[in-house]
Amino acid sequence: MEARPPPERGSLKIILTSLSSVLTSLDCILSFHLRSSWFWLASSDITPAEEREGARCITACLSPLLRSGRVEAEMPPPRTGRGLLWLGLVLSSVCVALGSETQADSTTDGLNVLLIIVDDLRPSLGCYGDKLVRSPNIDQLASHSLLFQNAFAQQAVCAPSRVSFLTGRRPDTTRLYDFNSYWRVHAGNFSTIPQYFKENGYVTMSVGKVFHPGISSNHTDDSPYSWSFPPYHPSSEKYENTKTCRGPDGELHANLLCPVDVLDVPEGTLPDKQSTEQAIQLLEKMKTSASPFFLAVGYHKPHIPFRYPKEFQKLYPLENITLAPDPEVPDGLPPVAYNPWMDIRQREDVQALNISVPYGPIPVDFQKIRQSYFASVSYLDTQVGRLLSTLDDLQLANSTIIAFTSDHGWALGEHGEWAKYSNFDVATHVPLMFYVPGRTASLPEAGEKLFPYLDPFDSASELMEPGRQSMDLVELVSLFPTLAGLAGLQVPPRCPVPSFHVELCREGKNLLKHFRFRDLEEDPYLPGNPRELIAYSQYPRPADIPQWNSDKPSLKDIKIMGYSIRTIDYRYTVWVGFNPDEFLANFSDIHAGELYFVDSDPLQDHNMYNDSQGGDLFQLLMP
């Protein structure tokens, strides 16, 4: 299906819009147009320009209705001349009356999409209630968006998570649990979000870390399937893990904590700054494009190492940084559930601490790791602010959907852990928000800016509250159907079981129902029945006890899989035997279990599994 640009806003459309308040139902319109003074158009002389306007009215009206299944009959041959304009006027009136209902299933044709993916970002943001972190530009986006308070990734590690949500399939379908295979060869030739948009007339572009680089995206970021042009990667990426961090001894090191003077690093820049500059250039080019665009921008920070402009440390004086509220390994945590954060231990500044493996705690005075994480988030926020401000300057904010999320979270000392690689909320809980012009926020007026750049160093800036919020549990596999539906494309069907032979389908729920805002003006929290909702996550392990490859086992080494269920009331995880040759879990071979009641134990420190009949519970709730 060919995507079309949105209809022009001519004077005729302005007149029709002004009449929308009296055209409140289809029955009303059908009787109204017969007796209306509009009927004179059927016998009037129509200019070519007016005829084209009539055609645009018909196209703008019927396209979303046909796509949503509201108009099933075959369309008659197009009329010409004055009849065409008359028909366009009537159909436009129908659209006005049905607009709010139709938009619940589809939005105007040809909306652009800006997808922002952040690496290792947990919901440590002002818009998620964090009082310490300064993230004014992301908070501003949230104030114009629908924000999901309880969104979860399907696996808390980069490549599997990204392949999962970009294909709309769970890790057990992509069969990617590590970094070492390409799903099109290893599992099935599954379509991706950008591929689907590309096949529907969009120009699709990738900047920065969108797919995980390497074999997991065929060393090409899934080109040419997903992208209209070769993806862009910042030239300074190659310095991320090299000796570019100046230590107290004045020498350069490959450290975990790496605040830098940007002018002093190789190329005098950082990857996320380069990505923002490239994305801005692409937006400027697409401003005059006749085709809608899908632009994915992947930011590196706050992924380790914490390499960021050193001035951002000033936002977080060490005296204001507290430790995690639960910095100890919980007594009831089964060893298989613990991740020993080996990648952090390999950094030079952490190696110098001589911490015992696997449970040795990081010294309290080195837990300034939290300071650097938060500083990296604020640095990231400035890049998001620059990008969104440009979208405003180019007058694209009224025609572009913006989706913002992260591939997974990151532990900052909770449970004695300093990484992702687990099924805890701190590793799987992610920010997720959608800005939809005219739907989650009013269209900006001429000269109005929705996203002016906000300086995180400006102490006068006030914390912005999110716009709409949903408390329902949702999953990142819902990104595919939701973006397709918001852009007016047909939502891919649900996948059969199994679905390895099906190229286009999705395993996540369509979230479009959350964008129906009629009769909700008094309540910014969207109603629902959250106890019916479940989010699934999983994580592999090579052994029952922590070892050197527990965090990132290769497929051949996976012996145990931890399947986790998150509901509004609890998180339940069962660790079962797993055969990597057959990709099969043996649910009769239970190695350990976890059960946390999040209302009374929100930090998930008290494992109640041995006090429950957890095995029966899990069998009932498998997806």
Side-chain angles (χ1 to χ4, degrees):
M1 182 175 58
E2 197 172 69
R4 292 177 292 275
E8 296 176 13
R9 295 185 177 181
S11 59
L12 186 58
K13 187 172 182 181
I14 295 174
I15 295 172
L16 291 174
T17 302
S18 69
L19 293 171
S20 64
S21 60
V22 298
L23 304 178
T24 56
S25 71
L26 182 58
D27 291 338
C28 171
I29 294 165
L30 291 177
S31 60
F32 176 84
H33 85 262
L34 290 175
R35 65 178 186 272
S36 169
S37 58
W38 287 1
F39 197 76
W40 68 270
L41 289 168
S43 58
S44 299
D45 292 328
I46 304 298
T47 68
E50 289 171 327
E51 182 174 339
R52 287 193 297 272
E53 183 63 35
R56 278 195 293 269
C57 289
I58 294 171
T59 299
C61 175
L62 289 185
S63 293
L65 293 176
L66 284 168
R67 189 173 288 128
S68 65
R70 295 183 57 84
V71 178
E72 298 179 0
E74 183 176 343
M75 288 181 62
R79 304 187 185 188
T80 58
R82 55 182 174 267
L84 181 62
L85 178 58
W86 178 82
L87 180 61
L89 286 166
V90 174
L91 288 176
S92 294
S93 302
V94 174
C95 283
V96 169
L98 297 180
S100 59
E101 183 175 349
T102 301
Q103 286 181 359
D105 302 310
S106 170
T107 56
T108 304
D109 283 6
L111 284 175
N112 307 308
V113 177
L114 173 60
L115 172 60
I116 302 174
I117 303 171
V118 185
D119 207 345
D120 289 19
L121 178 64
R122 62 196 243 162
S124 291
L125 300 164
C127 53
Y128 279 88
D130 194 305
K131 303 300 184 184
L132 175 65
V133 175
R134 297 190 63 81
S135 52
N137 293 288
I138 298 172
D139 298 344
Q140 180 171 242
L141 172 62
S143 73
H144 298 302
S145 299
L146 171 58
L147 180 146
F148 289 91
Q149 286 281 355
N150 291 296
F152 292 89
Q154 277 49 77
Q155 187 175 330
V157 68
C158 300
S161 177
R162 290 165 187 265
V163 169
S164 173
F165 68 72
L166 287 169
T167 62
R169 318 235 187 167
R170 301 182 188 279
D172 276 348
T173 302
T174 66
R175 291 181 167 175
L176 182 68
Y177 314 105
D178 58 10
F179 297 77
N180 304 320
S181 64
Y182 182 38
W183 79 91
R184 292 188 189 274
V185 174
H186 200 61
N189 190 29
F190 307 147
S191 297
T192 69
I193 299 175
Q195 177 184 354
Y196 188 57
F197 276 80
K198 179 183 175 184
E199 292 170 350
N200 281 276
Y202 278 70
V203 176
T204 58
M205 301 165 287
S206 173
V207 172
K209 187 178 178 181
V210 178
F211 285 100
H212 194 281
I215 187 58
S216 64
S217 58
N218 202 34
H219 298 287
T220 63
D221 297 85
D222 194 45
S223 291
Y225 296 99
S226 289
W227 310 110
S228 302
F229 308 104
Y232 169 86
H233 284 276
S235 60
S236 62
E237 271 183 352
K238 58 182 174 287
Y239 305 110
E240 277 292 276
N241 295 302
T242 61
K243 294 178 181 289
T244 54
C245 314
R246 197 166 300 281
D249 59 2
E251 300 296 321
L252 294 177
H253 299 274
N255 285 345
L256 173 67
L257 308 183
C258 191
V260 298
D261 183 337
V262 174
L263 296 178
D264 192 37
V265 299
E267 301 188 30
T269 188
L270 295 172
D272 287 346
K273 294 170 72 71
Q274 286 186 290
S275 290
T276 300
E277 290 161 4
Q278 176 68 14
I280 287 174
Q281 291 179 23
L282 291 175
L283 288 176
E284 290 170 343
K285 291 179 180 177
M286 295 307 299
K287 165 68 175 174
T288 57
S289 172
S291 300
F293 65 80
F294 179 102
L295 172 60
V297 181
Y299 286 114
H300 283 264
K301 295 303 121 187
H303 191 287
I304 62 172
F306 299 122
R307 188 167 171 260
Y308 59 92
K310 62 183 181 182
E311 58 267 24
F312 285 89
Q313 278 188 322
K314 298 175 183 177
L315 294 171
Y316 303 98
L318 282 175
E319 59 268 24
N320 294 343
I321 304 299
T322 60
L323 302 182
D326 54 345
E328 305 295 331
V329 179
D331 289 338
L333 184 70
V336 69
Y338 181 78
N339 78 80
W341 33 279
M342 296 302 295
D343 51 357
I344 284 183
R345 295 176 189 271
Q346 295 166 11
R347 310 288 167 166
E348 290 184 30
D349 50 352
V350 179
Q351 282 182 340
L353 300 174
N354 295 316
I355 302 170
S356 62
V357 179
Y359 295 111
I362 284 184
V364 170
D365 62 352
F366 198 81
Q367 295 194 19
K368 54 189 177 184
I369 292 173
R370 292 169 64 89
Q371 176 197 45
S372 280
Y373 184 91
F374 299 144
S376 297
V377 172
S378 292
Y379 161 56
L380 158 77
D381 180 80
T382 63
Q383 300 310 303
V384 173
R386 289 180 57 209
L387 181 62
L388 298 184
S389 179
T390 298
L391 197 75
D392 253 342
D393 293 341
L394 295 173
Q395 299 180 338
L396 290 169
N398 61 353
S399 59
T400 302
I401 297 165
I402 304 170
F404 178 96
T405 193
S406 170
D407 53 359
H408 44 71
W410 211 79
L412 286 170
E414 294 87 357
H415 313 113
E417 297 181 330
W418 296 90
K420 47 255 190 179
Y421 314 132
S422 81
N423 285 316
F424 283 118
D425 277 13
V426 287
T428 58
H429 189 196
V430 295
L432 178 65
M433 63 189 79
F434 297 87
Y435 160 76
V436 185
R439 170 63 62 177
T440 61
S442 301
L443 292 174
E445 301 291 337
E448 178 189 4
K449 293 198 68 173
L450 286 181
F451 306 113
Y453 177 80
L454 300 175
D455 187 348
F457 291 91
D458 184 359
S459 58
S461 61
E462 297 182 1
L463 177 64
M464 294 188 182
E465 295 294 329
R468 301 281 182 179
Q469 299 183 64
S470 172
M471 305 303 293
D472 285 359
L473 277 82
V474 299
E475 303 174 289
L476 283 189
V477 282
S478 291
L479 195 61
F480 195 156
T482 304
L483 281 179
L486 289 174
L489 305 182
Q490 183 172 344
V491 175
R494 293 295 297 265
C495 290
V497 179
S499 65
F500 299 106
H501 61 291
V502 181
E503 292 188 11
L504 179 63
C505 67
R506 42 89 184 188
E507 295 181 352
K509 293 181 179 180
N510 185 350
L511 303 181
L512 286 187
K513 69 174 185 178
H514 294 273
F515 294 83
R516 296 173 179 171
F517 293 154
R518 288 181 303 164
D519 303 323
L520 298 176
E521 297 302 323
E522 300 301 321
D523 186 3
Y525 288 90
L526 301 184
N529 188 356
R531 283 182 170 76
E532 295 180 355
L533 302 173
I534 297 173
Y536 298 93
S537 304
Q538 62 188 98
Y539 209 85
R541 295 284 191 235
D544 286 303
I545 60 174
Q547 59 186 46
W548 67 271
N549 62 341
S550 287
D551 294 342
K552 295 183 286 186
S554 296
L555 174 63
K556 64 180 178 60
D557 297 322
I558 297 173
K559 301 295 187 293
I560 303 165
M561 188 68 71
Y563 290 94
S564 193
I565 294 169
R566 177 65 156 85
T567 75
I568 201 69
D569 296 312
Y570 58 83
R571 176 172 286 284
Y572 177 80
T573 304
V574 61
W575 298 89
V576 302
F578 185 82
N579 184 331
D581 298 318
E582 302 292 335
F583 299 96
L584 289 178
N586 182 358
F587 287 97
S588 63
D589 179 22
I590 298 177
H591 290 235
E594 300 168 79
L595 176 62
Y596 307 99
F597 294 101
V598 296
D599 185 41
S600 58
D601 182 23
L603 301 179
Q604 300 168 23
D605 289 321
H606 304 286
N607 182 11
M608 307 299 292
Y609 177 82
N610 291 329
D611 299 327
S612 69
Q613 296 182 1
D616 296 335
L617 176 65
F618 187 80
Q619 294 292 342
L620 292 172
L621 295 176
M622 278 295 290

